[in-house]
mmCIF file of all heavy atoms in Angstrom:
data_model
loop_
_atom_site.group_PDB
_atom_site.id
_atom_site.type_symbol
_atom_site.label_atom_id
_atom_site.label_comp_id
_atom_site.label_asym_id
_atom_site.label_seq_id
_atom_site.Cartn_x
_atom_site.Cartn_y
_atom_site.Cartn_z
ATOM 1 N N ARG T 13 81.451 106.832 95.081
ATOM 2 C CA ARG T 13 82.300 106.744 96.268
ATOM 3 C C ARG T 13 83.393 107.809 96.166
ATOM 4 O O ARG T 13 83.889 108.088 95.077
ATOM 5 C CB ARG T 13 82.944 105.362 96.384
ATOM 6 C CG ARG T 13 81.952 104.229 96.488
ATOM 7 C CD ARG T 13 81.232 104.255 97.841
ATOM 8 N NE ARG T 13 80.339 103.137 97.996
ATOM 9 C CZ ARG T 13 79.022 103.210 97.887
ATOM 10 N NH1 ARG T 13 78.445 104.346 97.603
ATOM 11 N NH2 ARG T 13 78.278 102.138 98.052
ATOM 12 N N LYS T 14 83.779 108.337 97.322
ATOM 13 C CA LYS T 14 84.780 109.400 97.371
ATOM 14 C C LYS T 14 85.720 109.153 98.542
ATOM 15 O O LYS T 14 85.285 108.749 99.625
ATOM 16 C CB LYS T 14 84.083 110.749 97.540
ATOM 17 C CG LYS T 14 85.001 111.925 97.720
ATOM 18 C CD LYS T 14 84.192 113.181 98.018
ATOM 19 C CE LYS T 14 85.090 114.331 98.392
ATOM 20 N NZ LYS T 14 84.329 115.513 98.808
ATOM 21 N N ASP T 15 87.000 109.387 98.324
ATOM 22 C CA ASP T 15 88.003 109.292 99.387
ATOM 23 C C ASP T 15 89.137 110.234 99.007
ATOM 24 O O ASP T 15 89.129 110.818 97.918
ATOM 25 C CB ASP T 15 88.498 107.852 99.520
ATOM 26 C CG ASP T 15 89.038 107.537 100.906
ATOM 27 O OD1 ASP T 15 89.291 108.476 101.690
ATOM 28 O OD2 ASP T 15 89.218 106.350 101.207
ATOM 29 N N THR T 16 90.091 110.386 99.903
ATOM 30 C CA THR T 16 91.225 111.255 99.619
ATOM 31 C C THR T 16 92.530 110.558 99.944
ATOM 32 O O THR T 16 92.566 109.613 100.737
ATOM 33 C CB THR T 16 91.153 112.575 100.433
ATOM 34 O OG1 THR T 16 91.092 112.250 101.819
ATOM 35 C CG2 THR T 16 89.949 113.405 100.027
ATOM 36 N N VAL T 17 93.600 111.040 99.327
ATOM 37 C CA VAL T 17 94.936 110.499 99.540
ATOM 38 C C VAL T 17 95.946 111.614 99.279
ATOM 39 O O VAL T 17 95.724 112.465 98.415
ATOM 40 C CB VAL T 17 95.194 109.285 98.612
ATOM 41 C CG1 VAL T 17 95.096 109.653 97.150
ATOM 42 C CG2 VAL T 17 96.525 108.622 98.927
ATOM 43 N N TYR T 18 97.021 111.624 100.055
ATOM 44 C CA TYR T 18 98.099 112.576 99.804
ATOM 45 C C TYR T 18 99.063 111.994 98.788
ATOM 46 O O TYR T 18 99.421 110.814 98.855
ATOM 47 C CB TYR T 18 98.855 112.907 101.091
ATOM 48 C CG TYR T 18 98.113 113.890 101.960
ATOM 49 C CD1 TYR T 18 97.349 113.454 103.034
ATOM 50 C CD2 TYR T 18 98.142 115.250 101.676
ATOM 51 C CE1 TYR T 18 96.643 114.352 103.824
ATOM 52 C CE2 TYR T 18 97.444 116.163 102.451
ATOM 53 C CZ TYR T 18 96.701 115.704 103.521
ATOM 54 O OH TYR T 18 95.995 116.596 104.281
ATOM 55 N N THR T 19 99.507 112.829 97.870
ATOM 56 C CA THR T 19 100.516 112.428 96.907
ATOM 57 C C THR T 19 101.850 112.324 97.636
ATOM 58 O O THR T 19 102.235 113.268 98.325
ATOM 59 C CB THR T 19 100.619 113.475 95.773
ATOM 60 O OG1 THR T 19 99.350 113.583 95.143
ATOM 61 C CG2 THR T 19 101.647 113.083 94.747
ATOM 62 N N GLN T 24 99.966 117.707 98.699
ATOM 63 C CA GLN T 24 98.793 117.809 97.842
ATOM 64 C C GLN T 24 97.807 116.684 98.127
ATOM 65 O O GLN T 24 98.139 115.506 98.047
ATOM 66 C CB GLN T 24 99.166 117.774 96.366
ATOM 67 C CG GLN T 24 97.934 117.890 95.475
ATOM 68 C CD GLN T 24 98.275 118.043 94.017
ATOM 69 O OE1 GLN T 24 99.260 118.664 93.675
ATOM 70 N NE2 GLN T 24 97.449 117.466 93.166
ATOM 71 N N LEU T 25 96.593 117.073 98.455
ATOM 72 C CA LEU T 25 95.520 116.125 98.695
ATOM 73 C C LEU T 25 94.789 115.868 97.384
ATOM 74 O O LEU T 25 94.386 116.806 96.693
ATOM 75 C CB LEU T 25 94.547 116.690 99.740
ATOM 76 C CG LEU T 25 93.492 115.735 100.273
ATOM 77 C CD1 LEU T 25 94.150 114.582 101.029
ATOM 78 C CD2 LEU T 25 92.545 116.479 101.206
ATOM 79 N N VAL T 26 94.642 114.603 97.036
ATOM 80 C CA VAL T 26 93.964 114.200 95.807
ATOM 81 C C VAL T 26 92.652 113.535 96.202
ATOM 82 O O VAL T 26 92.613 112.700 97.102
ATOM 83 C CB VAL T 26 94.832 113.215 94.996
ATOM 84 C CG1 VAL T 26 94.079 112.723 93.763
ATOM 85 C CG2 VAL T 26 96.151 113.856 94.603
ATOM 86 N N THR T 27 91.579 113.907 95.535
ATOM 87 C CA THR T 27 90.282 113.292 95.773
ATOM 88 C C THR T 27 90.079 112.165 94.767
ATOM 89 O O THR T 27 90.199 112.370 93.563
ATOM 90 C CB THR T 27 89.148 114.324 95.645
ATOM 91 O OG1 THR T 27 89.416 115.403 96.535
ATOM 92 C CG2 THR T 27 87.801 113.710 95.983
ATOM 93 N N ALA T 28 89.799 110.982 95.285
ATOM 94 C CA ALA T 28 89.552 109.798 94.455
ATOM 95 C C ALA T 28 88.046 109.553 94.393
ATOM 96 O O ALA T 28 87.382 109.490 95.432
ATOM 97 C CB ALA T 28 90.266 108.587 95.046
ATOM 98 N N TRP T 29 87.521 109.435 93.201
ATOM 99 C CA TRP T 29 86.093 109.192 92.981
ATOM 100 C C TRP T 29 85.931 107.914 92.172
ATOM 101 O O TRP T 29 86.686 107.675 91.228
ATOM 102 C CB TRP T 29 85.475 110.317 92.152
ATOM 103 C CG TRP T 29 85.490 111.669 92.742
ATOM 104 C CD1 TRP T 29 86.494 112.601 92.652
ATOM 105 C CD2 TRP T 29 84.443 112.290 93.487
ATOM 106 N NE1 TRP T 29 86.121 113.752 93.306
ATOM 107 C CE2 TRP T 29 84.870 113.590 93.828
ATOM 108 C CE3 TRP T 29 83.181 111.859 93.906
ATOM 109 C CZ2 TRP T 29 84.085 114.468 94.553
ATOM 110 C CZ3 TRP T 29 82.394 112.735 94.626
ATOM 111 C CH2 TRP T 29 82.847 114.022 94.947
ATOM 112 N N THR T 30 84.935 107.112 92.520
ATOM 113 C CA THR T 30 84.537 105.997 91.669
ATOM 114 C C THR T 30 83.020 106.013 91.530
ATOM 115 O O THR T 30 82.304 106.472 92.423
ATOM 116 C CB THR T 30 84.994 104.629 92.225
ATOM 117 O OG1 THR T 30 84.476 104.434 93.530
ATOM 118 C CG2 THR T 30 86.511 104.530 92.257
ATOM 119 N N THR T 44 87.882 102.760 95.245
ATOM 120 C CA THR T 44 88.602 103.997 95.607
ATOM 121 C C THR T 44 89.944 103.655 96.242
ATOM 122 O O THR T 44 90.920 104.381 96.051
ATOM 123 C CB THR T 44 87.779 104.897 96.551
ATOM 124 O OG1 THR T 44 87.333 104.138 97.662
ATOM 125 C CG2 THR T 44 86.605 105.526 95.844
ATOM 126 N N LEU T 47 92.476 103.185 93.516
ATOM 127 C CA LEU T 47 92.975 104.467 93.008
ATOM 128 C C LEU T 47 93.997 105.067 93.967
ATOM 129 O O LEU T 47 95.041 105.579 93.544
ATOM 130 C CB LEU T 47 91.816 105.447 92.792
ATOM 131 C CG LEU T 47 90.890 105.159 91.621
ATOM 132 C CD1 LEU T 47 89.702 106.116 91.638
ATOM 133 C CD2 LEU T 47 91.634 105.252 90.294
ATOM 134 N N LYS T 48 93.702 105.008 95.253
ATOM 135 C CA LYS T 48 94.622 105.555 96.251
ATOM 136 C C LYS T 48 95.959 104.802 96.237
ATOM 137 O O LYS T 48 97.026 105.412 96.348
ATOM 138 C CB LYS T 48 93.984 105.495 97.640
ATOM 139 C CG LYS T 48 92.847 106.478 97.824
ATOM 140 C CD LYS T 48 92.034 106.250 99.068
ATOM 141 C CE LYS T 48 92.849 106.054 100.303
ATOM 142 N NZ LYS T 48 92.042 105.851 101.521
ATOM 143 N N ILE T 51 98.010 106.065 93.333
ATOM 144 C CA ILE T 51 98.619 107.369 93.648
ATOM 145 C C ILE T 51 99.847 107.172 94.545
ATOM 146 O O ILE T 51 100.900 107.764 94.312
ATOM 147 C CB ILE T 51 97.600 108.287 94.369
ATOM 148 C CG1 ILE T 51 96.434 108.638 93.469
ATOM 149 C CG2 ILE T 51 98.289 109.539 94.912
ATOM 150 C CD1 ILE T 51 96.700 109.680 92.434
ATOM 151 N N TYR T 61 101.664 112.851 91.747
ATOM 152 C CA TYR T 61 100.458 113.016 90.942
ATOM 153 C C TYR T 61 100.157 114.518 90.882
ATOM 154 O O TYR T 61 100.102 115.184 91.916
ATOM 155 C CB TYR T 61 99.302 112.248 91.588
ATOM 156 C CG TYR T 61 98.051 112.185 90.753
ATOM 157 C CD1 TYR T 61 97.988 111.379 89.631
ATOM 158 C CD2 TYR T 61 96.934 112.937 91.095
ATOM 159 C CE1 TYR T 61 96.836 111.302 88.862
ATOM 160 C CE2 TYR T 61 95.771 112.866 90.331
ATOM 161 C CZ TYR T 61 95.733 112.052 89.219
ATOM 162 O OH TYR T 61 94.588 111.989 88.465
ATOM 163 N N TYR T 63 97.454 116.174 89.496
ATOM 164 C CA TYR T 63 96.078 116.642 89.397
ATOM 165 C C TYR T 63 95.400 116.610 90.765
ATOM 166 O O TYR T 63 95.881 115.974 91.687
ATOM 167 C CB TYR T 63 95.293 115.778 88.407
ATOM 168 C CG TYR T 63 95.938 115.658 87.041
ATOM 169 C CD1 TYR T 63 96.421 114.437 86.588
ATOM 170 C CD2 TYR T 63 96.049 116.763 86.202
ATOM 171 C CE1 TYR T 63 97.006 114.319 85.332
ATOM 172 C CE2 TYR T 63 96.637 116.648 84.944
ATOM 173 C CZ TYR T 63 97.114 115.426 84.527
ATOM 174 O OH TYR T 63 97.692 115.308 83.280
ATOM 175 N N LYS T 64 94.273 117.276 90.882
ATOM 176 C CA LYS T 64 93.547 117.331 92.159
ATOM 177 C C LYS T 64 92.561 116.174 92.332
ATOM 178 O O LYS T 64 92.114 115.906 93.435
ATOM 179 C CB LYS T 64 92.812 118.662 92.292
ATOM 180 C CG LYS T 64 93.755 119.847 92.393
ATOM 181 C CD LYS T 64 93.004 121.121 92.663
ATOM 182 C CE LYS T 64 93.891 122.331 92.644
ATOM 183 N NZ LYS T 64 95.026 122.304 93.515
ATOM 184 N N THR T 65 92.202 115.510 91.232
ATOM 185 C CA THR T 65 91.261 114.389 91.300
ATOM 186 C C THR T 65 91.768 113.224 90.466
ATOM 187 O O THR T 65 92.560 113.394 89.539
ATOM 188 C CB THR T 65 89.859 114.772 90.780
ATOM 189 O OG1 THR T 65 89.950 115.106 89.392
ATOM 190 C CG2 THR T 65 89.261 115.924 91.562
ATOM 191 N N ILE T 66 91.253 112.046 90.816
ATOM 192 C CA ILE T 66 91.460 110.845 90.018
ATOM 193 C C ILE T 66 90.142 110.076 90.093
ATOM 194 O O ILE T 66 89.542 109.983 91.161
ATOM 195 C CB ILE T 66 92.659 110.009 90.502
ATOM 196 C CG1 ILE T 66 92.955 108.883 89.518
ATOM 197 C CG2 ILE T 66 92.470 109.518 91.922
ATOM 198 C CD1 ILE T 66 94.315 108.236 89.719
ATOM 199 N N LYS T 67 89.683 109.569 88.951
ATOM 200 C CA LYS T 67 88.362 108.956 88.902
ATOM 201 C C LYS T 67 88.386 107.679 88.065
ATOM 202 O O LYS T 67 89.129 107.590 87.100
ATOM 203 C CB LYS T 67 87.363 109.939 88.301
ATOM 204 C CG LYS T 67 87.212 111.223 89.110
ATOM 205 C CD LYS T 67 86.465 112.314 88.363
ATOM 206 C CE LYS T 67 87.222 113.053 87.334
ATOM 207 N NZ LYS T 67 88.364 113.858 87.685
ATOM 208 N N ALA T 68 87.519 106.727 88.466
ATOM 209 C CA ALA T 68 87.293 105.515 87.680
ATOM 210 C C ALA T 68 85.784 105.278 87.657
ATOM 211 O O ALA T 68 85.124 105.372 88.688
ATOM 212 C CB ALA T 68 88.008 104.320 88.283
ATOM 213 N N THR T 83 92.833 112.293 84.272
ATOM 214 C CA THR T 83 92.159 112.242 85.580
ATOM 215 C C THR T 83 90.971 111.295 85.653
ATOM 216 O O THR T 83 90.420 111.114 86.733
ATOM 217 C CB THR T 83 91.722 113.621 86.116
ATOM 218 O OG1 THR T 83 90.554 114.066 85.441
ATOM 219 C CG2 THR T 83 92.840 114.642 86.044
#
Side-chain angles (χ1 to χ4, degrees):
R13 300 290 183 256
K14 175 186 172 186
D15 205 346
T16 57
V17 61
Y18 282 98
T19 301
Q24 180 172 325
L25 190 64
V26 176
T27 304
W29 297 87
T30 57
T44 52
L47 288 173
K48 289 168 48 179
I51 295 283
Y61 188 73
Y63 306 114
K64 294 186 185 305
T65 64
I66 188 165
K67 299 167 282 296
T83 77

